[in-house]
Amino acid sequence: MTVTADMAISLDGFIAGTGVTIDNPGGDGAEPLFEWIHNLASWRERQGMTGGEENRDSELMREWFDATGAVVMGRMMYDTGEEFWGDNPPFRTPVFVLTHRPRPTLVKEGGTTFTFVTDGIHSALDRAKAAAGDRNVDIAGGASTVQQYLREGLIDELQLHVVPALLGEGLRLFGGLGAGRRLEPVGVVGTPLATHLKYRFVK
């Protein structure tokens, strides 16, 4: 089992724009980070839509979906996605939501359940590992959630989808994480939409 994080990032190192709020989760100016995803066949399929582009980007997205057996996310990510995801969310696995506001577990169509965890990131990860079986656990976001797991050294692999866009300012993934962590490259895939970099943290 591998604990992963999979993030879109601008060429100048930002994963969100400025002014991130519950109503503007990507921040101002962050649209280019996610535009490359929306027409991929694998992404559209998970959103209950048809059509889309079948290309290397779509294959990578499908590989991520297939390899992931459980997901951890922050409460802001859940709150901003709840209405959009509807009754059949795209995860199709158990999802563990970090929160300070308890809520009963929600069972959705397609195999997705949302369990709200109030006792910290280690508890959420332990529960996700138990649920994932021999598949991966993905730390889905948002940014602050991924940063918490990075600070604790709990992420094994990091995949960055580097989008050819400059945001200029915003939220940096690696801001405030300190020095000393080493990574080794696992793979590089370049496409016209993004450069996909996968790294493994050296223990």
Side-chain angles (χ1 to χ4, degrees):
M1 175 190 295
T2 302
V3 179
T4 66
D6 193 278
M7 307 290 289
I9 189 168
S10 69
L11 192 59
D12 51 350
F14 297 102
I15 55 173
T18 57
V20 174
T21 66
I22 192 72
D23 298 316
N24 186 24
D28 298 330
E31 292 82 5
L33 294 182
F34 310 105
E35 287 172 350
W36 67 278
I37 298 174
H38 296 156
N39 201 42
L40 302 182
S42 57
W43 177 259
R44 292 177 62 84
E45 175 185 304
R46 281 294 183 120
Q47 310 300 321
M49 299 182 286
T50 59
E53 297 290 330
E54 282 288 4
N55 52 27
R56 187 67 181 112
D57 302 280
S58 184
E59 289 173 2
L60 289 170
M61 184 67 66
R62 185 173 285 110
E63 289 169 7
W64 178 88
F65 280 130
D66 290 346
T68 300
V71 170
V72 176
M73 68 174 60
R75 185 61 185 258
M76 179 179 282
M77 182 175 178
Y78 173 80
D79 286 345
T80 56
E82 180 180 16
E83 183 176 346
F84 175 75
W85 296 325
D87 292 329
N88 191 5
F91 305 100
R92 302 181 188 177
T93 61
V95 178
F96 298 86
V97 182
L98 291 163
T99 184
H100 297 295
R101 292 173 282 146
R103 183 173 175 179
T105 296
L106 299 177
V107 179
K108 298 288 188 174
E109 298 173 14
T112 301
T113 57
F114 292 103
T115 300
F116 298 85
V117 181
T118 59
D119 51 350
I121 65 172
H122 293 274
S123 174
L125 183 56
D126 288 344
R127 296 171 75 169
K129 286 180 175 180
D134 58 357
R135 298 165 72 195
N136 295 341
V137 172
D138 189 74
I139 312 301
S144 64
T145 297
V146 174
Q147 288 173 331
Q148 288 180 67
Y149 281 95
L150 285 172
R151 287 190 191 99
E152 294 293 317
L154 298 172
I155 292 176
D156 302 313
E157 287 186 0
L158 179 65
Q159 181 157 257
L160 301 176
H161 308 283
V162 183
V163 178
L166 301 175
L167 296 192
E169 56 183 342
L171 180 62
R172 293 190 181 277
L173 176 60
F174 301 112
L177 295 182
R181 302 293 306 281
R182 293 182 55 237
L183 303 95
E184 59 182 14
V186 177
V188 179
V189 176
T191 76
L193 298 180
T195 301
H196 310 278
L197 309 174
K198 183 179 285 189
Y199 296 96
R200 181 177 295 115
F201 283 97
V202 177
K203 301 297 185 181

